[in-house]
Amino acid sequence: MNDYISVREAALAWGVSGRRVHKLCEEGRIAGVTKFGRAWMIPAQTPKPLDARREHSELHAANNTKTRMFENLLGADAKLTVKNDSFAVFQLENATGNGVVTVYGVFPGVTLTYYDLHMQKVSGFGAFDTLCGEPILTVNHCREGRFECEINDGERIHLGEGDLAVSNMSAPLRASSFPLSHYHGISIQLDVRKAEDILGEVCELLLIPKINLRTIETRLLGNRPYFLVRSTDAVEHIFFELYNTPTALKESYIRLKLIELLLFLSIAEPEPTDGRRYFYKTRVDTVKAVRDHLTANLDKQFTLPELSKLFNIPLTAMKTCFKTVFGMPIGEYLRKYRLQAAAV
């Protein structure tokens, strides 16, 4: 027995996780290993296998594959301006405005993207899973502004300040837009297959329960296209620090906060979205037409019943849908718009 060391001792000696060493033993890739009961034992003088540590080039969002993937996602609006081993920065500009998108690689199969947009649309947005060929779980958080996206045929949901949405990536970026022409937020993409092993290793090192992305997806989504959490103190705490991390600690802190977020999602309850439902495209387009009519005629006064009749939409539905899309009642929106127009 003195000629053998345990999996844990080998992991410490080689600078890798115990999970990785255990996997190498099971696959017969370490010469001379033997099993005593349920424990693998490794010859004491065994050198570190060449493949004991997986390649970590995927940690960096700025590698060529991921850079091209985001260039396709953002489309012709985007211009790559910064690219290094840690992150990539894209400048966006089109007829509706401009913005900046910063992409960080967190772990293999995991990226975190900061959106700082002052535009109504990103013309290149499409279904992310068609770009990478793998099932993708995505988490979107809205810090400021509003984010509108189409889920099923014509059904649209809206993220407001502090809201969090989880979905499988077939839905969240289809027909998306930013109704207030202003959006600051974070999007996290998790390639379920690629991320499983590395997240398991991290959990083992931190001595915390294993995070299972497939279990999280099944619990939160079931047969639904998305899971929505309206602004809560717990969500605000996690994301506040992601938005305010010192640059010197950015990469390390993002990794820690991601684990915290996934632990939160592993116990989050998939309850109804506090009565706020989605609206169909036709109704959303109608209230946008109402907004356009009001902002094009700032010198005129319209009553809500007049607008309801003019656009052939029930009064209550108009008020409810307008507030969902733009985050405030019609009167408040118009007052703020007039103030902004006067300031300009």
Side-chain angles (χ1 to χ4, degrees):
M1 180 68 71
N2 293 333
D3 295 329
Y4 290 90
I5 59 176
S6 68
V7 167
R8 180 177 291 275
E9 290 169 325
L12 290 173
W14 296 343
V16 298
S17 72
R19 179 187 177 92
R20 184 65 177 164
V21 177
H22 192 275
K23 186 173 183 179
L24 292 171
C25 291
E26 287 185 330
E27 294 175 353
R29 291 152 68 184
I30 302 178
V33 297
T34 187
K35 213 170 187 181
F36 292 90
R38 299 174 60 184
W40 288 102
M41 302 300 292
I42 300 162
Q45 302 304 317
T46 301
K48 176 182 176 180
L50 294 177
D51 58 352
R53 185 185 297 274
R54 61 169 49 87
E55 292 297 324
H56 286 286
S57 61
E58 285 188 271
L59 279 172
H60 306 304
N63 67 45
N64 290 334
T65 301
K66 289 191 180 297
T67 299
R68 285 195 299 270
M69 184 168 64
F70 274 89
E71 285 175 336
N72 291 334
L73 174 69
L74 299 172
D77 299 343
K79 179 181 178 182
L80 179 64
T81 57
V82 176
K83 174 185 174 183
N84 60 32
D85 288 340
S86 302
F87 60 89
V89 179
F90 296 88
Q91 295 282 345
L92 278 67
E93 187 170 1
N94 61 29
T96 70
N98 56 63
V100 177
V101 174
T102 306
V103 184
Y104 282 87
V106 185
F107 296 118
V110 182
T111 58
L112 183 145
T113 308
Y114 290 92
Y115 288 96
D116 183 0
L117 305 178
H118 299 273
M119 55 203 310
Q120 289 184 6
K121 289 186 177 181
V122 176
S123 61
F125 269 1
F128 198 92
D129 56 357
T130 63
L131 298 174
C132 56
E134 298 290 344
I136 298 292
L137 189 67
T138 185
V139 180
N140 282 300
H141 179 263
C142 174
R143 184 186 190 187
E144 296 177 7
R146 296 193 76 75
F147 178 29
E148 173 188 299
C149 54
E150 184 176 326
I151 45 174
N152 292 322
D153 296 332
E155 297 174 5
R156 298 195 175 186
I157 61 170
H158 296 81
L159 262 65
E161 185 173 328
D163 292 347
L164 172 73
V166 180
S167 61
N168 54 23
M169 225 19 210
S170 60
L173 294 180
R174 183 161 22 121
S176 59
S177 64
F178 310 97
L180 298 178
S181 298
H182 170 67
Y183 180 75
H184 296 276
I186 285 175
S187 180
I188 300 168
Q189 297 84 29
L190 302 111
D191 183 319
V192 175
R193 182 184 63 81
K194 290 182 179 179
E196 280 183 325
D197 285 347
I198 188 66
L199 288 176
E201 292 180 10
V202 171
C203 291
E204 181 179 345
L205 289 172
L206 294 177
L207 301 178
I208 60 177
K210 180 181 177 182
I211 294 171
N212 189 310
L213 295 179
R214 298 180 192 275
T215 300
I216 291 175
E217 181 177 13
T218 300
R219 282 189 67 255
L220 297 184
L221 300 180
N223 295 322
R224 298 173 299 182
Y226 71 95
F227 168 69
L228 190 61
V229 179
R230 296 299 180 184
S231 181
T232 66
D233 290 342
V235 172
E236 179 65 19
H237 166 75
I238 294 172
F239 281 93
F240 175 82
E241 293 173 333
L242 276 173
Y243 291 114
N244 294 278
T245 306
T247 302
L249 300 174
K250 199 83 171 181
E251 294 176 72
S252 300
Y253 206 69
I254 285 174
R255 293 186 177 101
L256 290 174
K257 296 305 291 187
L258 174 72
I259 297 300
E260 182 181 357
L261 173 63
L262 292 176
L263 287 172
F264 168 78
L265 292 177
S266 68
I267 62 171
E269 292 297 329
E271 295 180 351
T273 59
D274 68 5
R276 281 182 262 187
R277 56 190 177 85
Y278 60 81
F279 291 90
Y280 283 101
K281 177 181 182 298
T282 52
R283 185 142 291 179
V284 172
D285 289 345
T286 299
V287 298
K288 288 182 178 179
V290 171
R291 187 274 309 269
D292 292 344
H293 181 72
L294 290 171
T295 56
N297 296 276
L298 292 177
D299 58 331
K300 298 179 181 179
Q301 297 289 335
F302 299 95
T303 67
L304 295 184
E306 286 174 342
L307 292 171
S308 171
K309 184 176 181 180
L310 180 62
F311 288 91
N312 193 29
I313 179 175
L315 178 60
T316 300
M318 180 182 71
K319 292 192 293 185
T320 303
C321 186
F322 192 100
K323 186 175 181 179
T324 298
V325 173
F326 296 105
M328 62 193 81
I330 295 175
E332 182 180 349
Y333 179 91
L334 197 54
R335 282 194 298 275
K336 289 188 175 181
Y337 191 93
R338 282 196 171 105
L339 287 172
Q340 292 173 353
V344 171

